[in-house]
Amino acid sequence: MIKEAMFYERIDNKYILCYLCPHHCHLKNGQRGICKVRRAEKDRLYTVNYGEISSLAIDPVEKKPLYHYKPGKTILSVGGFGCNFSCGFCQNYSISKSSPETKYVNPEQLLKITLDAAKEGSIGIAFTYNEPSIWYEYIFDFLKEVEVSINKPDIVLVTNGYIEKEPLKEMLPHISAMNIDLKGFNDGYYKNICMGSLDEVLSTIELSSDKTHVELTTLIIDGYNNSDDEIEEMAKWIASIDKDIPLHLSRYYPAYKFTDRPTKPESLRRARDIARKYLNYVYIGNLPGEDNNTYCPECGGTVVERYGYYVMMNLNDDRCQNCGNKIKIVL
């Protein structure tokens, strides 16, 4: 469905300036932005992905990944299409870089689907699979439906963090949790591989972590973003905000335009060991058999045991059963 977009203005009667994300696309009539879902037409900007759903599933919340937000629960996961990054290694390129088959679902219908899933144990809805920020108008209208609803599902965003401050601030009060991709800690990597900017993502992380529950994911690719110095600087920076922010180091597999071999397991373990010098909670993803339990930073006791997506908690509310230390976790 086509709907007029938010966050744009007409400049000198010549072009449209979109300021939803830091790309600030300047568009003439008929042109689409980098995201491919915002189009200038007749001196206005329209979103062509409104309510168009490509993917819908019930997932473990750990799959987002969120390890410190309602562990052991499930969540309705929904995606559309398009992205405002151009990562050559995109793991979901079939929906982010193509035109998948979609079905239109209006915000009221999506809320009903979300609440029906809640009857089966789902905690809410995660906007994921492709970049949710370019689905802004649809999510915004969905949030308005939630506001007038008796039942309030949890709202999760799984995002690359490439969004301007104004739209982010408008949405944040309604967001329960976020997993933000921190692609690496090198602006050249962001510019050359992802076609974005590191500073803008860091700004999103800082702003969001002050308002809602945030976890971070870095897809580790040998030779690109896994030098010891880069991992150390990244971990130091995250710790400067909050050393309790969970960091997920995920294994890369060849996808889209990248044919490099999968990340070596020892590369992931080394990155984890470096990051753990500064952060309390560091996990390895996409590598079966790794120890991804959560340990108390104070006494070292196991507070959350994980076997795949099976979770067993050893907590008194949000405190370690062994020493009583408060764990940064939402139950």
Side-chain angles (χ1 to χ4, degrees):
M1 178 178 174
I2 295 176
K3 183 181 176 75
E4 186 171 0
M6 302 167 67
F7 304 107
Y8 78 92
E9 59 182 300
R10 182 74 181 166
I11 304 295
D12 298 331
N13 293 319
K14 293 181 179 179
Y15 56 84
I16 296 290
L17 168 64
C18 175
Y19 55 93
L20 174 63
C21 89
H23 283 307
H24 291 180
C25 292
H26 290 60
L27 306 172
K28 294 181 179 179
N29 280 337
Q31 290 184 326
R32 294 194 184 199
I34 289 172
C35 63
K36 302 300 182 185
V37 300
R38 298 168 79 79
R39 183 180 71 203
E41 203 71 52
K42 298 180 180 178
D43 299 331
R44 293 187 179 184
L45 185 66
Y46 293 92
T47 173
V48 302
N49 61 341
Y50 186 92
E52 298 296 338
I53 291 179
S54 67
S55 310
L56 189 71
I58 299 288
D59 288 329
V61 72
E62 284 80 10
K63 200 173 180 180
K64 298 305 95 190
L66 291 172
Y67 277 14
H68 287 238
Y69 189 81
K70 302 194 176 179
K73 303 295 185 180
T74 59
I75 191 165
L76 178 71
S77 299
V78 60
F81 63 94
C83 186
N84 57 354
F85 270 4
S86 298
C87 303
F89 51 78
C90 183
Q91 306 288 291
N92 286 323
Y93 67 93
S94 61
I95 61 173
S96 68
K97 293 301 172 187
S98 64
S99 300
E101 183 178 346
T102 61
K103 179 179 180 179
Y104 176 70
V105 178
N106 68 38
E108 297 92 337
Q109 292 170 326
L110 184 61
L111 178 57
K112 183 180 184 306
I113 294 170
T114 303
L115 296 179
D116 285 345
K119 297 174 184 176
E120 304 300 321
S122 168
I123 60 172
I125 186 168
F127 293 94
T128 179
Y129 301 135
N130 71 306
E131 176 50 43
S133 65
I134 61 168
W135 223 6
Y136 193 95
E137 292 77 11
Y138 182 54
I139 296 175
F140 185 82
D141 287 349
F142 175 80
L143 293 174
K144 288 193 291 186
E145 292 296 322
V146 172
E147 282 298 296
V148 298
S149 173
I150 296 174
N151 300 301
K152 309 290 184 186
D154 291 2
I155 312 294
V156 170
L157 296 182
V158 181
T159 174
N160 62 25
Y162 207 62
I163 183 173
E164 279 291 0
K165 289 184 177 64
E166 182 184 347
L168 177 62
K169 287 179 179 178
E170 195 161 335
M171 185 177 283
L172 269 177
H174 309 282
I175 303 303
S176 309
M178 299 172 72
N179 185 292
I180 303 173
D181 276 345
L182 181 53
K183 306 288 185 180
F185 212 68
N186 180 326
D187 196 53
Y189 178 77
Y190 261 91
K191 289 178 178 177
N192 297 326
I193 304 298
C194 304
M195 310 306 167
S197 169
L198 172 61
D199 285 346
E200 316 294 352
V201 177
L202 298 185
S203 178
T204 294
I205 293 170
E206 286 186 278
L207 182 58
S208 301
S209 62
D210 189 47
K211 302 295 183 183
T212 191
H213 177 84
V214 166
E215 302 191 23
L216 305 176
T217 296
T218 301
L219 185 73
I220 298 292
I221 309 178
D222 285 321
Y224 286 87
N225 64 348
N226 70 322
S227 73
D228 290 357
D229 288 345
E230 184 169 342
I231 297 297
E232 185 167 33
E233 288 305 308
M234 180 172 70
K236 281 182 179 179
W237 181 85
I238 298 168
S240 73
I241 300 174
D242 186 350
K243 64 181 181 180
D244 284 338
I245 292 176
L247 172 63
H248 303 263
L249 302 173
S250 188
R251 190 185 194 192
Y252 148 86
Y253 288 91
Y256 195 35
K257 298 177 181 179
F258 265 43
T259 57
D260 301 66
R261 291 181 178 180
T263 314
K264 298 175 184 176
E266 55 266 31
S267 298
L268 289 160
R269 294 175 190 134
R270 181 171 180 82
R272 176 194 59 195
D273 292 344
I274 293 171
R276 278 181 173 172
K277 295 177 183 178
Y278 306 95
L279 300 171
N280 284 333
Y281 308 110
V282 184
Y283 304 101
I284 289 179
N286 285 349
L287 186 62
E290 290 300 303
D291 179 358
N292 277 325
N293 293 338
T294 298
Y295 297 96
C296 175
E298 191 68 26
C299 72
T302 306
V303 293
V304 182
E305 296 180 63
R306 297 185 179 86
Y307 306 94
Y309 294 128
Y310 174 75
V311 173
M312 186 167 63
M313 287 179 282
N314 305 308
L315 290 161
N316 290 325
D317 294 325
D318 58 354
R319 294 185 178 274
C320 173
Q321 285 184 352
N322 186 49
C323 71
N325 180 51
K326 187 177 177 65
I327 306 297
K328 184 174 183 179
I329 194 166
V330 179
L331 300 174

